[in-house]
Amino acid sequence: MMSALPPFTWRRAHPEDVPALTRIYNESVDGGGHSPALCDASEQGLAHLMKESRTNGWPLWVLAHGNELVGWAYVRRIAWGGAACGNVGDIWLYVAKAWHRKGIPMQMLRRVHPELLPHGFDIVTCWVLGSNRASLALVRACRLQRWACLPQVVRYGDRVNDLEIWGVRADDPQWQRYMRRLDQRYRRLEAKAALEAAQAEPSCL
């Protein structure tokens, strides 16, 4: 049984979020264990990323619990192909270390899903290190397909990783139906867990 999750706020990132975005990003890319560095890891680099998102209309969101940023998500055009691949999105998800193993990536991806087509992305991809079991489990759970594997192309010192490319056509009605059912299932589980947690609290009477 999943535990009751605290209430979250899903919103667009603001300039004042940059320090927290930077901290969360660096927790993920430090040493290359979970994700390679995809942009400048300084606050200036994340501020540039936010400017890029606004200039191009590529959404950058945060998931917050109160005033604490739990994670952030970004969808941008893939780096290859320029305008020819303008409808092909690349999803980035980063979670604060303190919130690992709490289902936060699924919380974000469920919220990203309905935003894909309105922002012009009818094909989406996730580029995942072959050693990143958590991300691989997530894309499988969301029924993305393993489209490619670039063997041993990611190097961090003596460590070598495959790069796996997972994707799906976001305009596929079957995938859309699956993702809506998945979201509904999680909503029911979360509501049930929250109710059980509330019933388990001692009465003040």
Side-chain angles (χ1 to χ4, degrees):
M1 174 63 65
M2 64 185 298
S3 59
L5 290 169
F8 293 122
T9 300
W10 178 250
R11 59 170 175 79
R12 290 297 185 94
H14 302 151
E16 56 268 27
D17 296 323
V18 165
L21 299 179
T22 305
R23 174 182 53 79
I24 293 170
Y25 180 73
N26 278 285
E27 288 177 350
S28 297
V29 304
D30 184 34
H34 298 287
S35 175
L38 301 176
C39 69
D40 179 355
S42 67
E43 289 192 13
Q44 291 79 7
L46 271 294
H48 176 76
L49 189 76
M50 185 174 294
K51 181 180 178 180
E52 174 192 73
S53 78
R54 295 183 173 183
T55 299
N56 293 283
W58 299 336
L60 175 61
W61 301 277
V62 298
L63 188 70
H65 172 45
N67 294 324
E68 179 185 5
L69 261 61
V70 171
W72 59 273
Y74 184 36
V75 183
R76 70 181 308 277
R77 185 181 65 206
I78 62 171
W80 188 89
C85 293
N87 65 330
V88 184
D90 179 24
I91 300 177
W92 301 11
L93 299 176
Y94 296 98
V95 179
K97 189 174 182 180
W99 287 84
H100 284 187
R101 297 186 177 89
K102 298 183 184 295
I104 301 303
M106 179 62 80
Q107 293 293 324
M108 292 195 290
L109 196 52
R110 286 164 54 200
R111 291 164 169 81
V112 168
H113 156 250
E115 300 279 358
L116 294 171
L117 293 176
H119 282 91
F121 297 112
D122 54 26
I123 300 172
V124 290
T125 62
C126 290
W127 300 49
V128 184
L129 289 184
S131 60
N132 190 335
R133 295 182 179 179
S135 292
L136 291 174
L138 177 68
V139 294
R140 290 188 184 104
C142 293
R143 290 195 179 175
L144 273 68
Q145 302 166 13
R146 188 174 183 262
W147 281 350
C149 178
L150 283 62
Q152 300 184 350
V153 298
V154 183
R155 296 179 181 271
Y156 288 98
D158 295 333
R159 288 185 296 172
V160 180
N161 272 293
D162 295 343
L163 174 61
E164 299 191 16
I165 302 175
W166 291 70
V168 70
R169 287 206 63 98
D171 58 359
D172 179 355
Q174 184 175 354
W175 185 70
Q176 286 286 338
R177 286 193 297 270
Y178 173 77
M179 288 299 294
R180 286 194 292 267
R181 290 196 304 269
L182 183 69
D183 182 61
Q184 291 167 0
R185 175 176 176 269
Y186 269 86
R187 288 177 185 273
R188 288 193 299 269
L189 289 170
E190 288 161 0
K192 181 179 179 181
L195 179 61
E196 291 178 351
Q199 292 174 342
E201 291 180 359
S203 173
C204 296
L205 300 178

